[in-house]
Amino acid sequence: MDTQTTSTTAAAPKGQRRIANIYSAFQTLGKPVFSFEIFPPKGDLTQEQAADVGGQLAQLYPDFISVTFSAGGSGSHGRAADATVSVAQLLQDQFGVPALAHLTCANTTREHLDAVCEDMKARGIENVLALRGDLREDSELHEFRLAVDLIAYLKDKGFCVGAAAYPEGHIDCADPRANIDHLKSKQDAGADFFVTQLFFQNSYAYAFLDEARARGVTLPISFGVMPFMSKSQVQRMVFMCGASLPSPIVKILAHYENDPVALEQAGVEYACRQLVDLAAHGVDGLHVYTMNRPAVARAVKQELDAASLVRG
Ligand code: FAD
């Protein structure tokens, strides 16, 4: 372990590991909380590779790293929870970075979630992003039908709880007013902070933020930005989460279609412009969907450091 990692560990006292406390500390600093997201071992990705990505991201001094939950059909929830919690534990214990473990509640029972919570407690996980998870044809909903059910349950168990927010609305929710109602109900159920779905146009984030604040949502909100890499990746995101595709991105994708290196560079630059603008707007947090690509994370962090926009 290098000295940089050791000093990161020493600088993160246990009390600061609750992400709600990190937001409070940063409000007085006047800088946004800065976080990355990684995904745990699945398919071809081994535990060693995930650990390597975690280590490289930790060296960029994020304020926390969230670890996704690979929800599958019934029966795979236990394996997915173990993969997520293992990476979250490694980030905290080996690299000293507060971790946010994602957890979904579709396709599982209270009895199973009790066991997952016990395991998370035993492994020092304090922060959980409470999600319903996407529904598939074979999905089963038991006691937990919506994220609010999981939020109240996790809060009761003493976790610091994050929840999902959707600047352009959830793909299954056509009514913008209901979108904010659902957000408020997550706050009322005990959530401590929000992390948003990705979006490519900041005007959606600002309109959503204004509406949420006007309607009594007071919790910190981290806004999610994804540096895009390829046309197929953008298409997948647009269809999966309903993000609008502004014409500058369409033009970039068309222009660099046959030059993947230039396209990746353009994707990082576009994301950085979004992040700089969000920071200037005074948002509580910036969450970067780096998709296990440390080089992209490094490029983004360098840009933000150069502008002194986040904690160096
Ligand atoms: P909910 O808030 O329960 O919403 C589900 C649907 O019900 C929405 O359409 C919502 O509008 C609607 N709704 C909410 N409340 C009510 C109500 N009171 N009455 C009627 N309708 C209501 N998925 C994964 O599988 N793994 C991950 O790691 C993961 N990470 C994510 C991280 C972030 C930051 C985000 C934004 C999403 C993530 N997702 C992940 C995707 C998420 O699981 C899906 O978007 C899922 O379809 C909804 O999850 P939710 O927690 O927002 O659910």
Side-chain angles (χ1 to χ4, degrees), residues 37-38 66-72 84 101-105 129-135 145-149 151 163-167 169-175 178-179 181-183 185-186 194-198 222 224 240-241 287 289:
E37 177 168 299
I38 66 174
S66 82
V67 189
T68 64
F69 190 98
S70 302
T84 297
H102 295 203
L103 179 66
T104 64
C105 63
L129 190 71
L131 301 151
R132 182 197 64 183
D134 284 326
L135 299 185
R145 307 194 70 78
L146 290 166
V148 280
D149 305 324
I151 292 166
Y166 299 87
H170 185 268
I171 194 140
D172 297 333
C173 178
D175 175 3
N179 181 39
D181 289 341
H182 300 156
L183 188 76
S185 67
K186 291 180 181 185
F194 291 111
V195 182
T196 78
Q197 185 57 278
L198 62 87
S222 275
M240 252 173 64
C241 62
H287 187 68
Y289 291 103

Side-chain angles (χ1 to χ4, degrees), residues 13-14 20 50 59-60 68 90 114 139 149 151 158 172 189 203 210 221 235 241 244 257 276 296-297 309:
K14 189 101 173 104
Q59 291 189 354
L60 301 172
T68 64
L90 178 108
D114 284 346
S139 282
D149 305 324
I151 292 166
D172 297 333
S203 53
D210 288 349
I221 304 176
Q235 276 169 339
C241 62
S244 306
E257 191 161 11
V276 167
V296 169
L309 289 175

